């Protein structure tokens, strides 16, 4: 990362800092960079920025860096960081909030992050249609969109032999309610 | 004891052992589980990762259904438990959010439900009541209890201490098993990253398996379908990639309580595991 | 004829930077009875005080209102000023327009000014009704009690005794010396802790003015400044110290070994014991709970071998009653119990994770390992030692919000000792900040870094067992990556917390503790060694975490305060206390219930009922005990109690002045 001019950066992105604190409900500015979150993060090794750096970048208003990062998507919401944070910052919530912002801002994702976001979409797509997760449908859709048509085919076959895959989706009675929930939220979030 | 039961979307698929054994064990122990009519997905990680509102709404819809039943709610799946419990807490603590969500779901929820993990429900029976039903103590089973993340974190909804949980350890000791003290009880397996970034999950799961083997156990016990799937189904692939030779059956805690209280392996779906369970089960005299 | 003078202070830019001070003075000039009003840059300065004196004389002022800082800071100053001008010092009213106006309304200067004017208006209205008050006097018992025999208490006792006054030093443990004598070397000079503290312990024992009561606890305190009555429980020692010569035969022969508290359970002692060889007094006591003669009527070896017949198994606790004029509290600290809070560090289940104080005992030549640094698990010499700072300190979630002040330096010292004593060793220090603000402290820390200690900026997240080693998982936040260390030994710098039972002592003595349970000083800057209750003084880490130099300095400071009190034959009492109008008092004694200082007593006075002589009950205020808090006045149903300087008439005048002005403004609109 090149040298950052803190005077201009923090001022220009004050809105971003406030917004993250407000939407996540977390006192991001309390973090004193002890690094206990990073120290315990199981996925940190795969991240482009470790969790404490993400918080620091939020503190300094590095909005673009944060929202384009792989790290916010790689966070598995295991909350190890949250449970050990001496300043009571729920980092997992902050990561959730940043993912939501990245989506709303239409950030173009790459690499691991792109695949994670796509998986979430495919998962939710089946929930939206059926009211419940439809594992086979999700997998086929995911493979179609990533272009790896036979990824996990072995897994699928193994699961099939154990009777752990259903060919047709299970739906709840009023599954159409779910599509409505998705639509209402989309409307609401577009407005703000 | 009577609870509205939330089995989660994997109940008939990847986690069917958990659903089957939970129902069988609860019936055997006198815990009545009532299915929630019309229940739908809790949203899981994709829900809250996409939008905070979506995460809460998908769970709140189910809480509203439970409220109509006039019961408290229990979930077997750790992910479902965490989502339902967190949504419940937010709906109760934030009136504004509650109003907004009720408007979204069209099913008003008024905060009248308690959400418990099935682990808590079984543990609340107390050791005496469980011991009284033990027919076949789990002698010779040396187990590493693996709690994962979702039922011990964050602290607002934790079932037990996130650093050294004991609740399942105690249950396992009650039914005669030997439980080891190990450092990976609540380390993350990578959970929901499995499909999109399997390499990460393989690496994390490998560490957990290694620690369990080093602790000298002959099986792992869990209470989370995601953890179970990663530890059980991916064991073969881990062996292939990392050159390891694990053969460690991974049980749901309900399956083991079932065995100890006299249920047959078939009633607990012990034959649908990827890592063969028969050898270890034979150890029980 | 009432003539009020108003003086409005700028306090440099503290007030003047926000509040329009000249305008406040100008407005005040128009208030009723104000004969003179002016502003000044620094009213508390010598020229400022001179100006007040001149104004009093020139304008024949007989009431003074000063609008400036808090009365806590300068009321005594200005009382003396107007006394120099010949006025009764209690004809002064202070208005705090700094804390209450300029500081809190820094972003709204107009409102700050308006509020200052309102407050001055009220003060003038009150001042009109001020009456002269006169101080009383009480005699002083010239003997001090020092509670706690650590280095703070020792220093205070020696200084008071050297000034020629009698001192009673009470210590809970069988020996004095406290925590300091447990330490090995002291930073930053690395001189031996025992070598510099044991001579002071001996000096206490030999001083003709000091009476030493070890193995004793204060259980009750009544009375007031100059006249305290103290109850002390002398615990049974089962050894008659008037006969005992301290020859050591008894503890040599005693068959019962128990963990040594002095060695933090890393070594052992006998059931009859002295805690360490240089203990003062150097005579043993029996720990009744571990003595088989006392618990089971067996053994009795010590009595058999004692050449002077000093053992007495029938000994019982004794209650002593002491009369003293001042009390110095020096009860010190304990360490935060990390084993109940830090599961990620193993909840105490890994034997090779120890505290800094345990390290001190271990590295001490007279300690359980004879000064060798070893792993408690297997006795082997560790090669890689990890130090973790701020365990329980600066951790609101699991411990305390505050910094314990000494850990940065003693950890630097420990790292230095590891590198010095173990060839080829490595010392890793996990830190959040290095706080080294004392004299030669930063240099000491830098020296340790130069010696090769590796400082890693970050907290440790978890310690795992890995074979016979400990895997320490941390992060280097400067690098932004995770780090792992395979450690042989981990030393935790645990937080300093108030000594156990210190809350109970505060209750017994009757003064307050702060949010963390440390004893509350009367003023954080200007009265740091005085407690809120007159005649009680604080020294050392019972008041807050402190290192040895600061502790010793406070011990001396508390001693000076005691000596200043004893230097007077009598002491003046504050006249701003409660007063009972016996004609109105119904004798319900509600006031007695609410008084936090036990200052109200029942009194019987002669009365006439239907022409017959009779008696009735009224409340009486003990002017020495009353602290002028006003609880009684506000609880009195018949309005019989007034607080001098804050009478109902004075307060109501101030309130009326404010309300009348508000009504005027409303009507105008």
């Amino acid at each position: 990362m090149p040298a950052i001019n803190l005077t201009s950066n923090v001022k220009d992105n004050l809105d971003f800092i406030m917004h993250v604190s407000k939407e996540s409900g977390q006192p991001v500015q309390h973090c004193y960079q002890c690094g206990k979150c990073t120290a315990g993060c199981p996925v940190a090794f795969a991240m482009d920025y470790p969790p404490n750096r993400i918080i620091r970048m939020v503190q300094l208003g590095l909005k673009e860096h944060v929202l384009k990062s792989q790290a916010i998507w790689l966070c598995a919401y295991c909350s190890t960081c949250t449970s050990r944070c001496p300043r009571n910052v729920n980092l997992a919530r902050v990561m959730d909030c940043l993912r939501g912002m990245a989506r709303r801002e239409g950030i173009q994702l790459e690499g691991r992050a792109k695949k994670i976001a796509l998986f979430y979409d495919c998962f939710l797509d089946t929930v939206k249609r059926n009211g419940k997760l439809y594992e086979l449908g999700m997998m086929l859709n995911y493979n179609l969109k990533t272009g790896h048509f036979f990824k996990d085919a072995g897994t699928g076959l193994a699961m099939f032999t154990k009777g752990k895959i259903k060919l047709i989706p299970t739906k709840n009675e009023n599954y159409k309610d779910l599509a409505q929930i998705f639509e209402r939220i989309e409307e609401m979030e577009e407005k703000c | 004891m009577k609870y509205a039961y939330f089995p989660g979307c994997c109940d008939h698929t990847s986690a069917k052992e958990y659903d089957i054994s939970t129902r069988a064990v609860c019936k055997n122990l006198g815990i009545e589980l009532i299915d929630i009519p019309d229940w739908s997905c809790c949203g899981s990680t994709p829900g809250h990762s996409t939008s905070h509102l979506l995460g809460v709404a998908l769970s709140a819809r189910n809480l509203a259904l439970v409220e109509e039943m006039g019961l408290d709610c229990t979930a077997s799946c750790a992910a479902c438990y965490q989502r339902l419990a967190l949504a419940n807490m937010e709906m109760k603590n934030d009136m504004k959010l509650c109003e907004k969500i009720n408007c979204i779901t069209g099913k008003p929820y008024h905060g009248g439900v308690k959400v418990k993990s099935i682990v808590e429900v079984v543990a609340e029976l107390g050791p005496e009541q469980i011991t009284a039903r033990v027919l076949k103590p789990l002698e010779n089973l040396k187990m590493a209890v693996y709690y994962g993340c979702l039922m011990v974190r964050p602290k607002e909804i934790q079932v037990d201490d996130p650093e050294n949980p004991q609740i399942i350890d105690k249950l396992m000791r009650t039914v005669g098993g030997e439980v080891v003290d190990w450092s990976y009880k609540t380390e993350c397996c990578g959970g929901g990253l499995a499909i999109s970034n399997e390499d990460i999950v393989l690496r994390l799961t490998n560490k957990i398996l290694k620690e369990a083997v080093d602790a000298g156990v002959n099986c792992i016990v869990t209470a989370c379908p995601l953890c179970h799937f990663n530890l059980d189904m991916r064991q073969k692939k881990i062996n292939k990639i990392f050159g390891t030779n694990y053969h460690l059956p991974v049980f749901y805690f309900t399956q083991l309580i079932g065995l100890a209280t006299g249920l047959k392996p078939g009633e607990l779906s012990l034959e649908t595991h990827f890592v063969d369970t028969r050898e270890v089960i034979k150890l029980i005299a | 004829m009432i003539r009020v003078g108003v003086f409005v202070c700028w306090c440099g830019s503290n007030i003047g930077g926000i509040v329009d001070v000249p305008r406040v003075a100008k407005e005040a000039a128009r208030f009723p009875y104000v004969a003179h009003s002016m502003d000044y840059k620094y009213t508390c300065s010598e020229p400022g005080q001179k100006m007040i004196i001149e104004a009093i004389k020139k304008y024949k002022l007989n009431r003074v209102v000063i609008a400036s800082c808090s009365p806590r800071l300068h009321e005594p100053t200005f009382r003396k000023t107007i006394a120099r001008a010949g006025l009764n010092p209690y004809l002064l009213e202070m208005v705090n327009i700094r804390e209450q106006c300029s500081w809190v309304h820094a972003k709204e200067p107009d409102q700050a000014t308006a509020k200052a004017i309102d407050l001055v208006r009220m003060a003038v209205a009150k001042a009109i009704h001020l009456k002269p008050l006169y101080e009383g006097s009480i005699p002083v018992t010239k003997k001090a009690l020092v509670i706690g025999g650590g280095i703070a208490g020792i220093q205070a006792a020696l200084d008071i005794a050297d000034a020629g006054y009698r001192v009673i030093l009470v210590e809970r443990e069988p020996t004095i010396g406290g925590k300091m004598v447990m330490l090995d070397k002291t930073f930053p000079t690395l001189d031996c802790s025992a070598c510099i503290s044991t001579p002071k312990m001996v000096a206490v024992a030999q001083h003709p003015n000091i009476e030493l009561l070890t193995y004793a606890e204060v259980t009750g305190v009544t009375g007031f400044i100059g006249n305290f009555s103290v109850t002390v429980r002398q615990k049974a020692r089962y050894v008659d110290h008037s006969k005992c010569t301290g020859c050591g035969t008894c503890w040599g022969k005693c068959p019962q070994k128990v963990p040594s508290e002095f060695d933090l359970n890393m070594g052992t002692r006998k059931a009859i014991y002295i805690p360490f060889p240089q203990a003062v007094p150097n005579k043993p006591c029996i720990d009744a709970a571990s003595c088989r003669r006392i618990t089971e009527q067996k053994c009795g070896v010590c009595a058999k071998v004692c050449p002077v017949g000093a053992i007495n198994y029938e000994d019982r606790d004794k209650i002593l009653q002491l009369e003293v004029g001042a009390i110095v509290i020096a009860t010190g600290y304990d360490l935060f119990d990390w084993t109940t809070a830090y599961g990620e560090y193993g909840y105490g289940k890994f034997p090779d994770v120890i505290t800094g104080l345990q390290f001190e005992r271990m590295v001490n030549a007279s300690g359980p390992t004879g000064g060798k640094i070893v792993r408690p698990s297997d006795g082997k010499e560790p090669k890689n030692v990890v130090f973790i700072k701020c365990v329980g300190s600066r951790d609101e979630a699991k411990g305390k919000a505050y910094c314990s002040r000494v850990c940065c330096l003693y950890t630097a010292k420990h790292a230095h000792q590891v590198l010095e004593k173990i060839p080829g060793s490595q010392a890793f220090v996990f830190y959040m900040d290095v706080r080294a603000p004392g004299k030669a402290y930063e240099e000491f820390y830098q020296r340790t870094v130069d010696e090769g200690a590796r400082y890693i900026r970050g907290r440790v997240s978890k310690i795992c067992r890995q074979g016979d080693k400990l895997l320490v998982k941390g992060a280097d936040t400067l690098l932004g990556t995770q780090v792992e260390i395979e450690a042989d030994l981990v030393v935790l710098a645990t937080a300093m917390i108030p000594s156990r039972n210190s809350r109970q002592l505060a209750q017994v003595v009757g003064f307050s503790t702060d949010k963390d349970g440390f004893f509350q000083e009367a003023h954080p800057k200007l009265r740091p060694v005085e407690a809120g209750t007159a005649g009680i003084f604080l020294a050392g880490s019972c008041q807050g975490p402190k290192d040895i130099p600061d502790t010793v300095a406070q011990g001396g400071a508390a001693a000076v305060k005691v000596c200043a009190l004893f230097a007077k034959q009598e002491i003046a009492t504050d006249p701003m206390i409660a007063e009972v109008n016996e004609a109105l008092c119904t004798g319900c004694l509600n006031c007695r219930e609410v008084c936090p200082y036990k200052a109200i007593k029942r009194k019987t006075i002669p009365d006439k009922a239907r022409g017959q002589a009779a008696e009735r009950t009224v409340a009486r205020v003990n002017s020495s005990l009353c602290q002028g808090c006003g609880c009684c006045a506000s609880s009195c149903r018949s309005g019989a109690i007034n607080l001098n300087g804050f009478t109902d008439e004075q307060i109501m005048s101030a309130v009326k002045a404010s309300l009348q002005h508000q009504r005027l403004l409303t009507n105008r609109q």
Side-chain angles (χ1 to χ4, degrees):
Chain A
M1 208 190 287
I4 302 149
N5 181 334
L6 288 182
T7 9
S8 59
N9 220 74
V10 175
K11 210 169 96 213
D12 294 348
N13 288 304
L14 208 58
D15 273 357
F16 170 66
I17 304 166
M18 299 290 285
H19 191 91
V20 173
S21 296
K22 200 169 162 230
E23 196 185 308
S24 67
Q26 298 307 311
V28 181
Q29 67 286 0
H30 276 197
C31 167
Y32 52 33
Q33 289 289 306
C34 72
K36 206 174 178 184
C37 49
T38 296
C41 177
V43 202
F45 72 89
M47 290 178 170
D48 46 356
Y49 304 111
N52 73 292
R53 194 86 66 79
I54 293 285
I55 300 294
R56 185 71 184 144
M57 293 197 299
V58 172
Q59 286 179 333
L60 300 181
L62 308 179
K63 181 176 174 181
E64 241 198 323
H65 282 95
V66 173
L67 295 189
K68 280 186 178 165
S69 73
Q70 296 277 314
I72 61 174
W73 292 93
L74 280 161
C75 163
Y77 207 89
C78 76
S79 302
T80 304
C81 48
T82 300
S83 74
R84 292 184 187 149
C85 176
R87 301 290 282 166
N88 294 318
V89 178
N90 186 334
L91 262 83
R93 274 294 298 271
V94 176
M95 294 292 187
D96 253 353
C97 161
L98 294 171
R99 284 191 280 264
M101 285 176 83
R103 253 185 214 273
R104 293 201 299 274
E105 302 255 334
I107 301 286
Q108 290 297 310
L109 299 172
E110 284 170 11
R112 290 184 182 278
K114 188 176 176 181
K115 289 198 281 182
I116 294 166
L118 186 62
F119 162 66
Y120 290 164
D121 288 343
C122 295
F123 181 108
L124 292 175
D125 195 53
T126 70
V127 176
K128 191 175 172 182
R129 283 169 203 271
N130 308 305
K132 295 184 187 182
L133 168 65
Y134 170 40
E135 286 163 319
L136 183 62
M138 171 190 73
M139 283 307 302
L140 292 175
N141 194 15
Y142 179 80
N143 287 355
L144 188 72
K145 286 185 173 155
T146 48
H148 298 90
F149 299 106
F150 298 105
K151 181 185 171 287
D152 291 328
T155 308
L157 197 64
M159 292 196 41
F160 187 74
T161 58
K162 296 280 179 191
K164 289 188 170 184
I165 275 219
K166 284 209 150 190
L167 297 179
I168 47 165
T170 314
K171 299 184 181 201
N172 59 316
E173 194 190 335
N174 296 309
Y175 66 91
K176 285 179 180 156
D177 286 1
L178 276 285
Q180 269 187 0
I181 290 177
F182 278 85
E183 275 156 23
R184 283 186 193 136
I185 288 172
E186 261 171 39
E187 269 172 39
M188 255 184 212
E189 292 188 333
E190 257 173 35
K191 266 186 233 160
C192 60
Chain B
M1 274 211 242
K2 194 168 169 182
Y3 286 93
Y5 174 55
F6 189 86
C9 295
C10 303
D11 58 341
H12 290 129
T13 55
S14 53
K16 68 178 188 182
E17 301 94 327
Y18 200 16
D19 183 58
I20 290 168
S21 58
T22 297
R23 290 177 192 272
V25 163
C26 286
K27 195 175 167 202
N28 207 14
L29 295 176
I31 300 165
E32 200 178 337
L33 300 180
I34 314 288
D35 280 303
I36 304 163
D38 196 36
W39 67 268
S40 53
C41 177
C42 70
S44 191
T45 309
H48 67 81
S49 291
T50 302
S51 143
H52 177 237
L53 284 180
L54 184 63
V56 180
L58 290 176
S59 288
R61 179 181 184 274
N62 292 299
L63 292 172
L65 294 172
V66 174
E67 199 170 38
E68 280 173 24
M69 297 165 75
L71 292 172
D72 285 333
C73 181
T74 183
S76 48
C77 169
C80 300
Y81 160 71
Q82 191 207 44
R83 290 335 303 168
L84 293 172
L86 275 174
N88 196 27
M89 185 200 75
E90 290 203 56
M91 292 288 278
K92 285 182 185 181
N93 291 348
D94 187 342
M95 287 310 295
K96 255 179 152 173
L97 178 74
C98 183
E99 269 174 46
K100 205 168 175 183
I101 295 289
N102 284 342
C103 188
I104 290 168
T105 59
K107 283 196 188 304
Y109 174 60
H110 310 96
V113 172
K114 260 191 215 153
V115 177
K116 287 182 185 173
S117 156
I118 193 73
V119 176
E120 291 172 286
V121 170
V122 173
E124 275 169 14
L125 287 174
E128 290 86 342
Q129 213 173 327
I130 297 172
T131 315
R133 308 223 179 212
V134 171
L135 300 172
K136 246 165 70 175
L138 303 180
E139 282 165 11
N140 301 321
L141 283 201
K142 193 171 172 189
M143 35 190 132
V145 182
Y146 177 63
Y147 292 79
C149 312
L150 299 168
M151 61 181 163
V152 294
R153 289 186 288 258
K155 68 167 172 280
E156 290 83 351
I157 56 98
Q158 73 187 35
V159 166
D160 201 349
D161 179 350
E163 298 303 345
N164 188 14
Q166 290 294 329
I167 186 165
I168 303 177
D169 291 48
K170 282 181 192 155
L171 282 173
M172 289 300 106
R173 279 192 216 108
T174 304
V175 297
E178 184 191 345
V179 177
V180 298
D181 181 18
W182 64 314
S183 289
Y184 276 65
K185 276 183 173 178
T186 60
E187 293 290 307
C188 179
C189 71
L193 295 173
I195 289 170
S196 58
N197 288 273
E198 198 193 17
D199 60 330
I200 292 178
V201 172
L202 293 177
R203 184 167 156 168
L204 298 181
T205 308
N206 178 34
K207 265 199 226 170
I208 294 161
L209 288 166
K210 179 180 178 300
E211 286 299 316
V213 167
D214 287 357
V217 302
N218 50 29
C219 64
I220 295 180
V221 184
T222 183
C224 171
L226 280 170
C227 302
H228 185 272
F229 195 71
N230 285 336
L231 289 165
D232 181 41
M233 199 282 286
R234 294 187 205 281
Q235 221 174 95
K236 199 170 155 190
K237 194 160 187 180
I238 287 168
N239 283 338
K240 202 171 131 195
I241 290 177
F242 296 99
T244 50
N245 191 23
Y246 304 126
H247 187 81
L248 209 54
V250 185
F251 296 107
Y252 287 104
F253 82 105
T254 41
Q255 291 179 302
L256 293 183
I257 294 178
L259 278 178
T261 51
L263 296 174
K264 299 275 169 305
E267 294 172 270
L268 300 162
S269 197
L270 282 161
E271 72 288 354
T272 54
H273 288 230
F274 290 97
V275 178
D276 200 327
T277 58
R278 280 172 298 185
E279 293 272 319
V280 169
I281 292 169
K282 267 191 221 153
L283 293 173
I284 308 168
Chain C
M1 180 63 191
I2 303 281
R3 294 177 65 83
V4 182
V6 178
F7 302 87
V8 190
C9 182
W10 286 66
C11 194
S13 61
N14 264 317
I15 298 170
I18 306 293
V19 172
D20 184 347
V21 172
R23 210 188 123 208
V24 177
K26 213 169 133 195
E27 290 283 332
R30 305 216 298 257
F31 298 157
Y33 297 100
V34 173
H36 175 66
S37 176
M38 65 180 296
D39 61 282
Y40 193 71
K41 208 87 180 168
Y42 293 104
T43 313
C44 60
S45 66
E46 184 51 33
Q49 294 189 44
K50 216 168 143 198
M51 182 197 75
I52 293 174
I53 293 170
E54 280 162 10
I56 290 172
K57 290 180 177 156
K58 185 170 171 195
Y59 299 102
K60 301 192 168 42
L61 305 175
N62 50 24
R63 300 287 187 282
V64 173
V65 172
I66 298 176
S68 57
C69 53
S70 164
R72 276 175 69 113
L73 190 63
H74 276 320
E75 199 170 52
T77 316
F78 292 128
R79 277 190 186 150
K80 280 184 200 142
T81 310
I82 70 168
R84 274 156 65 197
L87 284 186
N88 179 287
Y90 294 90
L91 295 173
L92 167 77
E93 190 62 26
M94 272 188 85
V95 188
N96 184 355
I97 60 168
R98 190 178 70 176
E99 278 89 334
Q100 293 172 9
C101 296
S102 63
W103 281 1
V104 282
H105 303 297
K107 287 184 182 146
E108 48 231 2
D110 289 346
Q111 275 138 304
T113 304
K115 185 173 172 186
I117 293 168
D118 278 342
L119 292 177
V120 172
R121 185 195 325 280
M122 292 169 74
V124 169
K126 186 185 168 202
I128 292 162
H129 298 281
L130 289 179
K131 303 257 178 328
L133 298 173
Y134 301 94
E135 292 163 356
S137 69
I138 44 173
V140 180
T141 306
K142 295 187 181 184
K143 190 194 242 186
L145 170 71
V146 177
I147 307 176
I151 191 61
I154 288 174
Q155 187 66 43
L158 286 173
D159 287 351
I160 298 167
D162 284 345
Y165 300 108
R166 306 271 309 156
V167 181
I168 302 166
L169 177 59
V170 175
E171 165 60 48
R172 172 168 66 188
E173 303 298 328
T175 175
I176 56 170
K179 294 279 191 299
M180 182 177 169
V181 82
M182 297 166 81
L183 308 180
D184 179 44
K185 288 180 177 172
T186 53
F187 63 78
T189 47
L190 291 178
D191 39 10
C192 155
S193 188
C195 311
I196 58 175
S197 59
T198 48
K200 280 190 178 279
M201 290 160 61
V202 173
V204 165
Q206 293 175 347
H207 205 294
N209 279 342
I210 299 179
E211 183 186 340
L212 184 56
L213 296 175
T214 55
Y215 216 38
E217 281 181 276
V218 172
T219 57
V221 173
T222 57
F224 45 88
I225 181 169
N227 300 275
F228 292 106
S229 184
V230 181
T231 313
V232 172
R233 190 167 62 89
Q234 168 70 65
K235 290 179 267 188
R237 295 177 202 274
Y238 306 98
V239 177
D240 184 345
H241 277 202
S242 65
K243 292 182 189 163
C244 174
T245 61
C247 69
T249 314
C250 54
W251 69 77
K253 297 283 182 197
C254 173
Q256 192 67 6
K257 272 191 186 175
V258 289
S260 156
E261 297 85 355
F262 191 78
D263 282 335
L264 301 162
N265 300 334
M266 294 193 301
T268 57
R269 61 162 170 84
K270 299 295 182 62
I272 184 165
Y273 71 110
I274 57 168
F276 61 102
Q278 298 79 26
V280 170
N282 207 250
K283 294 175 182 178
C285 64
I286 295 177
D287 161 19
S290 351
C291 171
R292 292 187 60 221
R293 172 63 179 73
I294 294 171
T295 54
E296 303 170 39
Q297 300 296 315
K298 290 173 183 163
C299 188
V301 165
C302 50
K304 281 174 213 152
V305 300
C306 178
V308 293
I311 309 291
N312 170 18
Y313 297 119
E314 306 309 317
D315 197 9
R316 293 288 171 269
D317 291 4
K318 289 181 204 63
I319 302 297
L320 311 173
Q321 209 61 43
L322 315 169
E323 304 300 323
V324 296
I327 301 175
V328 176
I329 305 200
T331 49
Y333 69 96
D334 271 318
L335 290 179
F336 175 77
D337 181 12
W338 69 277
T339 63
T340 57
Y342 283 84
E344 58 269 49
Y345 300 160
Y347 283 141
K349 71 182 170 191
F350 304 132
D352 296 330
V353 180
I354 61 172
T355 66
L357 198 55
Q358 284 176 316
F359 185 91
E360 290 286 347
R361 288 312 299 149
M362 197 153 76
V363 79
N364 191 309
S366 69
T369 61
K372 223 171 133 32
I373 303 168
V374 297
R375 287 153 49 92
S377 63
D378 55 12
K380 286 185 192 154
E381 190 174 65
K383 284 286 178 212
N384 291 314
V385 183
V386 168
F387 295 92
I388 305 178
K389 298 207 276 189
C390 298
V391 177
S393 304
R394 304 174 68 199
D395 186 343
E396 289 116 292
K398 290 199 167 166
K400 309 290 174 186
Y402 56 81
C403 163
S404 290
R405 288 187 62 188
V406 296
C407 325
C408 279
L409 268 291
Y410 78 61
T411 298
K413 185 198 65 172
H414 290 170
H416 156 80
Q417 286 177 310
V418 164
L419 296 171
E420 183 189 56
K421 289 202 168 197
I422 308 174
S425 63
Q426 293 206 84
F428 299 91
V429 182
F430 281 94
Y431 74 101
M432 295 201 293
D433 297 288
V434 175
R435 297 183 170 180
K439 197 169 179 177
Y441 287 9
E442 177 69 17
E443 295 93 318
F444 183 80
Y445 151 56
Q446 288 299 347
R447 177 183 143 182
T448 307
V449 173
D450 291 345
E451 286 170 350
R454 287 173 211 280
Y455 274 70
I456 303 161
R457 202 207 162 281
R459 270 190 192 269
V460 168
S461 176
K462 184 155 175 166
I463 302 172
C464 295
R465 196 186 287 123
Q466 191 181 62
D468 69 340
K469 289 184 187 293
L470 296 162
L471 187 66
V472 178
K473 297 181 166 193
D476 186 332
T477 62
L478 302 178
L479 208 65
T481 58
Q482 291 173 306
V483 294
E484 290 184 345
I485 297 169
E486 287 168 16
D488 300 307
L489 181 70
V490 178
V491 184
L492 308 179
T494 45
M496 272 173 134
I497 57 170
S499 170
R500 62 184 197 281
N501 299 335
S502 57
R503 250 178 232 277
Q504 287 93 308
L505 183 68
Q507 274 171 7
V508 163
V509 182
F511 63 100
S512 46
T513 52
D514 64 19
K515 68 177 180 16
D516 297 305
F518 289 108
F519 298 150
Q520 184 72 52
E521 65 284 354
H523 189 283
K525 298 178 197 91
L526 299 178
R527 297 172 69 194
V529 298
E530 290 156 78
T533 307
I536 297 178
F537 305 96
L538 307 173
S541 51
C542 66
Q543 180 261 348
K546 227 167 250 89
D547 60 11
I548 295 169
D550 286 2
T551 298
V552 172
Q554 271 206 344
V560 168
K561 294 280 171 188
V562 170
C563 294
L565 174 63
F566 288 178
K568 297 174 189 158
Q569 294 306 322
E570 289 185 322
I571 45 173
T573 56
D574 191 340
M576 293 181 86
I577 57 170
E579 197 173 289
V580 179
N581 181 341
E582 290 179 355
L584 291 177
C585 178
T586 62
C588 72
L589 294 177
N590 246 349
C591 47
R592 191 172 61 176
E593 304 305 314
V594 299
C595 176
Y597 304 100
K598 301 171 191 144
I600 295 182
K601 297 276 178 298
R602 173 197 293 271
K603 180 184 170 192
T604 310
I605 55 167
D607 192 25
K608 265 189 193 159
R610 298 193 200 93
Q612 297 269 314
E615 285 183 332
R616 73 185 171 92
T617 299
V618 292
R620 186 179 71 84
V621 178
N622 180 328
S623 59
S624 315
L625 287 176
C626 177
Q627 300 287 317
C629 72
C631 286
C632 54
S634 53
S635 76
C636 180
R637 284 180 281 199
S638 50
I641 307 189
N642 254 316
L643 189 62
N644 287 335
F646 295 93
T647 64
D648 290 353
E649 187 191 29
Q650 290 161 358
I651 300 283
M652 292 313 291
S653 307
V655 173
K656 262 186 215 156
S658 172
L659 294 180
Q660 275 169 1
H661 181 70
Q662 293 304 320
R663 198 184 305 153
L664 200 72
L665 288 182
T666 323
N667 288 347
R668 235 181 252 166
Q669 277 168 6

